[in-house]
Amino acid sequence: MNAANRSACPINLTLEVLGDRWSLLVIRDMMFGGRRRFRELLTRSEEGIASNILADRLKRLMEAGLLTRADDPSHKQKAIYSLTEAAIQLVPVFAQLGGWGRRHRPVSDELSIRAQLLEEGGPKLWDRFMDDLRAEHLGAPAKPGPTVREELQAAYEEVAAKAR
């Protein structure tokens, strides 16, 4: 066991990487929002993360092997972040967290529709979503047709339009 870890328990080790207030939200925004640049993650998150916290979480997530960073070809001083396979495999965890939140927390219809569809779609939908993320972040071949993110976004927009 590494002396920096409290124990070798798998739940503890997972929480040591993902158990803070922001790490899962950064990964969520990359997965569900398609945000891959620092400025997008900073300004388009509903929760309002501070720039120093975001920089720290990006660094920690890279050190933990959940993100990679590459130079942005459109701008020398900017970077593009990508999910690793380990982060992509968190899709079922996000589906379960969203389902639990829908059942036990005071959610809004428009912000919970994605969680509802992921929960109802089950492992088959999760696998499709992970394949989409592998194509986007890891360069795997993309499958034809709309992505799961596009389907979830369309459902969100439909529910949001009805709420107005």
Side-chain angles (χ1 to χ4, degrees):
M1 180 180 79
N2 182 335
N5 302 117
R6 289 184 294 256
S7 80
C9 166
I11 294 171
N12 169 67
L13 293 170
T14 302
L15 288 175
E16 287 186 11
V17 175
L18 299 172
D20 66 87
R21 182 174 178 171
W22 296 105
S23 293
L24 283 173
L25 295 178
V26 169
I27 294 170
R28 176 208 64 190
D29 287 350
M30 292 180 72
M31 274 184 186
F32 295 94
R35 300 173 194 140
R36 300 190 55 193
R37 291 169 176 81
F38 185 90
R39 182 70 43 203
E40 294 169 336
L41 290 162
L42 181 67
T43 61
R44 294 178 56 206
S45 178
E46 190 166 316
E47 292 80 15
I49 190 170
S51 62
N52 61 322
I53 300 296
L54 176 58
D56 179 68
R57 290 319 178 272
L58 291 169
K59 180 181 173 191
R60 285 187 193 184
L61 291 167
M62 286 187 297
E63 289 170 353
L66 296 172
L67 299 181
T68 59
R69 181 184 189 275
D71 291 335
D72 185 338
S74 69
H75 194 287
K76 287 183 181 181
Q77 296 177 332
K78 293 184 180 181
I80 298 174
Y81 295 91
S82 295
L83 299 169
T84 65
E85 179 63 27
I88 290 168
Q89 289 181 18
L90 288 169
V91 165
V93 174
F94 277 94
Q96 294 296 325
L97 283 171
W100 185 91
R102 284 183 55 247
R103 288 187 300 280
H104 300 289
R105 306 306 304 161
V107 300
S108 70
D109 289 341
E110 56 269 21
L111 292 179
S112 66
I113 188 63
R114 293 178 185 104
Q116 177 184 336
L117 295 175
L118 277 173
E119 187 175 26
E120 290 171 355
K124 190 171 183 175
L125 184 63
W126 308 342
D127 287 343
R128 277 187 52 223
F129 192 25
M130 288 189 286
D131 286 343
D132 293 343
L133 292 169
R134 288 181 186 106
E136 179 181 355
H137 292 267
L138 303 177
K143 296 190 176 167
T147 66
V148 171
R149 183 186 304 130
E150 290 168 340
E151 293 171 10
L152 297 175
Q153 183 63 27
Y156 165 80
E157 290 171 7
E158 183 180 330
V159 172
K162 288 178 185 175
R164 286 186 216 128

